[in-house]
Amino acid sequence: MSIRYVFTSIQLHVQNVEYMFGIVGVPIIEVAMAAQAAGIKYVGMRNEQAACYAASAIGYLTGWPAVCLVVSGPGLIHALGGMANANMNCWPVIVIGGSSDRNQETTGAFQEFPQAVRSSIYGRPGASYIDIAGDMVNAKIDRANVRFVSCCPPAPVSQADSREITQAVRLLRAAQRPLIIIGKGAAYARAEKEVRELVEVTGIPFLPTPMGKGVLPDDHPNCVAAARSRSLLQADVIVLLGARLNWILHFGFPPRFSPHVKIIQVDLCAEELSNNVRAASALLGDIGAVVRQSLALRSTLPMNYYTAFHHISELLPKDCIIVSEGANTMDIGRTMLLNDLPRHRLDAGTFGTMGVGPGFAIAAGVLEQTQKSAQRVVCIEGDSAFGFSGMEVETMCRYKLPIIIIVINNNGIYSGVDPKTWKEMEKMGDMTTIAPPVTLLPEARYEQVMSAFGGRGYLVRTVEELRSSLQESLNNTQMPSLLNVLIDPASDRKQQEFPWLTRSNL
Ligand code: ADP
Ligand code: MG
């Protein structure tokens, strides 16, 4: 193959461009041929507009731009529709057009290649255009003298201002009816892991935009797409992850949104922030990075049910037997701790009995031990529920049943008070007249009941402690363990779940 074809295609190849869509004609036929020869996949299309749509979709789906190759004049004009669409979608694409020879005009520098790749994916992604002069396509050069610019690095990832993150977390914690909107920016950002963690540790419902669908599955328990209008209207705080408040979201205006809604907006494009609705918190940065920043801040605060269950569910083996009792612990655990196998779930049952957990767990543990099966028994108890039969840990220790008890301890029945409030109440006088009937002793050391009999007891306050103690307990098949997980005593499913979106309200 002649040297003159190679230049364009190898430079594209060096930039890791893999796909080219287009319609050839003079002078860019050789460019397509050379691209193929360099290993780039070329798809000949019937109209440049469709070619540009295709190339931009590759940019969105793979995160790296593809090329749309067009001839000058009408070819480029047709491609404009695709370029405009890519720009509006914030999808990277590189359009290469052939033009007349350089002696007929004044443009055409090949150094534009790496810049084009970079400008299509850095900042807000979009279309970039390269114009190749006809005589350059067919110019003869010595291959040895060609210097290629090395592949442009992936777009740099930026984080938001930490003060803005603090403000956003504060807003979210105070929200009564929070909602997360997931847009195609979150899909392009490949932030599915972070977005899932945000949804699951906070328990906040989410609504995908049309192309935000699938970042989390549509059948996720927190997806409220079926209650779209109601969720938009009733939400008091909305986290906007890579979606614009444009016509798709009714501009963020009443009557579709509450006039008092507070928007926490995450976008990597500064110009987009506070567009149409002034953001209560504007987080400029990459969605994955910003969500990680927010989660890191949250995990220094006391855990709530959702945070604890999210991390427990990540570590539990799929075939374990889950025993569960309590009020919120059992209810929220039902949606967040999933089963794969029949007869692997034992809870308060038809009679709603509290105190059954340790007995059930001992039965499952004895079967495990006598049948030499490898499945683990995990007993997840509210602190009140644990109190009913807590002394059975002596039985577990006596028979060395490696049961894992996790006490989700919120200092009470349904909810409790923190140690400071409890101390103040004690100063006020007779606790039988002051202490709310739902309260139990704050931060009671249930793990010591287990260590008293020789099992492993863990006091758990943070996500890190929860994960490491649960992992250690799963590795220990010799003795039972008890994790006393202190959660926020004000953590209550009433604010965390979304009764404001349940069927009866629709
Ligand atoms: P939708 O159609 O789903 O509502 P939009 O196209 O309106 O989505 O909004 C997508 C937004 O995502 C754009 O404002 C874009 O700047 C932004 N975006 C794209 N990639 C990222 C990223 N990695 N991090 C943050 N924001 C991003
Ligand atoms: Mg949008």
Side-chain angles (χ1 to χ4, degrees), residues 234-288:
Q234 302 276 310
D236 60 346
V237 174
I238 290 180
V239 185
L240 198 60
L241 297 177
R244 281 169 285 185
L245 291 176
N246 55 17
W247 65 276
I248 292 184
L249 287 169
H250 317 283
F251 308 101
F253 292 162
R256 306 305 290 264
F257 284 71
S258 157
H260 309 295
V261 67
K262 295 193 176 79
I263 305 278
I264 299 171
Q265 188 176 9
V266 185
D267 205 296
L268 49 58
C269 174
E271 291 90 329
E272 191 55 46
L273 298 169
S274 293
N275 201 356
N276 289 332
V277 178
R278 191 188 174 127
S281 170
L283 303 172
L284 178 64
D286 174 72
I287 291 163

Side-chain angles (χ1 to χ4, degrees), residues 323-326 330 346-363 379 381 385-390 392 396:
V323 181
S324 175
E325 59 175 335
M330 190 171 72
L346 300 166
D347 76 8
T350 316
F351 211 23
T353 317
M354 291 300 136
V356 293
F360 288 174
I362 287 170
C379 180
E381 301 268 311
F386 178 68
F388 287 81
S389 302
E392 295 303 336
M396 296 175 194

Side-chain angles (χ1 to χ4, degrees), residues 85-97:
N85 189 68
N87 254 355
M88 293 308 285
N89 268 348
C90 316
W91 291 359
V93 67
I94 299 168
V95 178
I96 299 181

Side-chain angles (χ1 to χ4, degrees), residues 79-203:
L80 286 178
M83 292 167 77
N85 189 68
N87 254 355
M88 293 308 285
N89 268 348
C90 316
W91 291 359
V93 67
I94 299 168
V95 178
I96 299 181
S99 65
S100 46
D101 295 355
R102 278 170 305 162
N103 60 8
Q104 294 162 16
E105 43 145 309
T106 55
T107 179
F110 267 84
Q111 290 74 13
E112 284 168 6
F113 268 118
Q115 286 157 37
V117 173
R118 204 166 58 224
S119 72
S120 74
I121 55 173
Y122 281 30
R124 180 180 251 178
S128 65
Y129 174 65
I130 300 164
D131 190 82
I132 303 181
D135 60 326
M136 285 205 76
V137 175
N138 289 305
K140 287 200 184 219
I141 40 157
D142 185 351
R143 195 172 194 161
N145 291 336
V146 177
R147 278 185 46 229
F148 294 104
V149 180
S150 60
C151 179
C152 130
V157 171
S158 57
Q159 292 194 329
D161 184 333
S162 60
R163 284 163 306 185
E164 280 293 326
I165 296 276
T166 310
Q167 161 74 355
V169 170
R170 199 175 293 141
L171 275 173
L172 207 52
R173 286 183 75 87
Q176 292 295 310
R177 297 178 303 280
L179 177 70
I180 296 171
I181 295 181
I182 303 174
K184 65 176 167 315
Y188 181 75
R190 294 176 147 59
E192 41 271 22
K193 189 171 163 288
E194 290 83 358
V195 175
R196 176 182 287 271
E197 187 162 347
L198 177 68
V199 165
E200 293 186 351
V201 304
T202 61

